[in-house]
Amino acid sequence: MIGFDRIQLQLGFWCFKSNRGYAGEPPKNSPLNGTWELLFTDAADATFKKGKRGSAKTFQEIDAELGWFINCVDFSNEKSKLRGFRVFVEGKALSDDEIELIFRKVRLLRRSRFLPEITIPLPGPGLLRAIGRLFARSKGGKVNESNRGAGFKLLYVDDDLRMHKTFDGLYFVQRRLH
């Protein structure tokens, strides 16, 4: 693994959603905290093509203290009723280098005076996974073969870059936005 630093990795995970932190470090010092932009992925559902809502700006906000990964999408077309959306994902450390992800809710950001935000709670992981498999099959896509659920193994993290592999075998490379 390129530049793998076990101490940084442990700080990243044991600080995640933990009051005691790792080695006395509080969660607010986790190297995962911050705003990240996607540089590369081989996951087809993680990117957006320009459409009627315009181009999409995507980024991820991580708050280890609260235990949240928030996937953010903002659309550029000012005429679109949908300004963007946020997917709230709870992260739970499974080990020094693995995090389980539990999708909790989606918040739609609308260009409207009435109901500018609509929050939709998501069903539990088992039902959500079954729905995802059903849609993947109906669209002719590949069904997720992992029986571990949603999550990832962190391969690298430093002040500016992080890389992980999902339990499904997909890669993500992200850069910190300063």
Side-chain angles (χ1 to χ4, degrees), residues 150-168:
F152 65 86
K153 179 179 180 106
L154 190 65
L155 302 175
Y156 178 81
V157 64
D158 66 18
D159 289 340
D160 299 308
L161 191 71
R162 86 174 210 260
M163 180 172 41
H164 70 262
K165 181 180 179 183
T166 68
F167 294 162
D168 305 323

Side-chain angles (χ1 to χ4, degrees), residues 6-26:
R6 188 125 187 108
I7 293 171
Q8 277 189 322
L9 214 49
Q10 288 174 341
L11 284 174
F13 284 89
W14 287 107
C15 286
F16 205 86
K17 200 176 180 194
S18 166
N19 291 330
R20 70 185 190 297
Y22 176 79
E25 280 292 319

Side-chain angles (χ1 to χ4, degrees), residues 107-119:
R107 180 169 295 147
L108 303 176
L109 308 174
R110 302 177 63 233
R111 290 186 175 93
S112 170
R113 284 183 279 195
F114 305 103
L115 291 175
E117 292 184 1
I118 298 172
T119 300

